[in-house]
Amino acid sequence: MGQLFDLHGKVAVVTGASRGIGRAIALRLAEHGAAVVVSSRKIEACEPVVREIQAAGGKAIALACHIAFKDQLKRLIDTAIEHFGGLDIVIGNAAVNPYFGSSLDMPDEAFDKVMASNIKSNVWLANLAIPHLRQRGGGSIIIVSSIGGFLGSDVIGAYTISKAADLQIARNLAVEFGHENIRTNCIAPGLIRTDFAKALWENEEIAKQRMRTTPMRRIGEPDEIAGAAVFLASAAGQYMNGQSIIIDGGRVAGSPSEFS
């Protein structure tokens, strides 16, 4: 049973890994034995995560990567291979949400940025990684989506559209490359206490409403997402393909009665 989650000998790339969910995933992958390339837009933000991994006896390097630029994503993949000798696990976690409010007032530039960063970059990342995963006899691609991919929103509409698209990217890649032992899945978190989601959980009214409509009556923490990534990346998840794991305290399952 101890071998199910063993990632020794595996190489992982994690985007948006300097904080929040990405950081938690990078730390837990390393804890289970993977060598990790920790990336985000600013290398100085990645370096503390690398130091933490190395201090615990793990292997990691930092690399700056802006996901909106294909050449930077290519350099990310190439660096993983050059430094660690291969690639087995790809985590598309980085995303943007530059607008909060009604879709009627959303500038075209903001909408285009969300679509490019949250959808196209994940397609690029997968396409760049797949030839190298083939060389390893397979691998795991994990896209961090959101329960927003299953639910509408009156304040982050474009973001939820992009996260629904991520679910379909995983399904399409699963169908196209599953026969090569390349598995693609999504993790769909609910509201998690990260800097990225501050506009939601720091808003007292929104936070109270979310906790009231979540069966567990609280919001999540980044490390509560990381275990699913370890599962999907490891032998424990070797037959899961084209799926989405919802981790949201039960919110999508249904809202508690106001009288409960």
Side-chain angles (χ1 to χ4, degrees), residues 155-169:
V155 289
I156 53 170
Y159 179 79
T160 64
I161 291 168
S162 73
K163 290 304 176 177
D166 284 339
L167 303 177
Q168 187 62 26
I169 290 171

Side-chain angles (χ1 to χ4, degrees), residues 66-67 94-98 110 113-118 159 162-163 196:
H66 195 309
I67 60 169
V96 301
N97 184 37
K113 184 176 182 179
V114 171
M115 298 301 119
S117 294
N118 298 2
Y159 179 79
S162 73
K163 290 304 176 177
F196 183 82

Side-chain angles (χ1 to χ4, degrees), residues 41-250:
R41 285 185 301 166
K42 298 179 180 179
I43 194 167
E44 58 270 22
C46 298
E47 288 168 345
V49 183
V50 170
R51 288 194 294 269
E52 187 171 350
I53 290 171
Q54 292 174 340
K59 298 178 181 178
I61 60 171
L63 186 70
C65 177
H66 195 309
I67 60 169
F69 297 95
K70 192 175 185 178
D71 60 332
Q72 293 192 31
L73 288 171
K74 183 178 186 302
R75 186 165 69 94
L76 177 62
I77 298 299
D78 290 346
T79 298
I81 293 158
E82 291 165 7
H83 195 89
F84 291 121
L87 182 65
D88 304 280
I89 304 158
V90 179
I91 315 281
N93 169 68
V96 301
N97 184 37
Y99 178 78
F100 186 86
S102 171
S103 296
L104 286 175
D105 302 317
M106 185 175 193
D108 288 344
E109 294 79 9
F111 183 86
D112 291 344
K113 184 176 182 179
V114 171
M115 298 301 119
S117 294
N118 298 2
I119 302 175
K120 186 163 65 174
S121 69
N122 284 326
V123 173
W124 282 344
L125 183 63
N127 287 347
L128 290 164
I130 284 168
H132 302 288
L133 299 180
R134 279 174 172 156
Q135 292 177 14
R136 304 281 270 195
S140 177
I141 300 170
I142 303 166
I143 301 171
V144 178
S145 179
S146 166
I147 61 167
F150 300 93
L151 303 168
S153 172
D154 57 356
V155 289
I156 53 170
Y159 179 79
T160 64
I161 291 168
S162 73
K163 290 304 176 177
D166 284 339
L167 303 177
Q168 187 62 26
I169 290 171
R171 287 189 284 263
N172 285 351
L173 292 175
V175 170
E176 189 169 357
F177 300 105
H179 71 284
E180 298 184 76
N181 197 34
I182 296 171
R183 300 175 296 105
T184 308
N185 295 283
C186 283
I187 300 172
L191 181 57
I192 306 298
R193 198 184 309 276
T194 65
D195 289 344
F196 183 82
K198 267 186 177 181
L200 296 174
W201 60 263
E202 279 196 340
N203 182 305
E204 187 175 349
E205 182 179 343
I206 292 175
K208 283 183 177 179
Q209 179 188 23
R210 182 59 61 88
M211 285 187 276
R212 187 170 60 248
T213 58
T214 298
M216 292 187 73
R217 297 298 206 281
R218 65 176 178 87
I219 64 176
E221 302 296 334
D223 203 44
E224 294 177 311
I225 307 303
V230 173
F231 164 71
L232 292 172
S234 69
Q238 64 187 353
Y239 198 53
M240 181 164 280
N241 194 26
Q243 305 303 313
S244 179
I245 299 177
I246 298 174
I247 307 175
D248 69 344

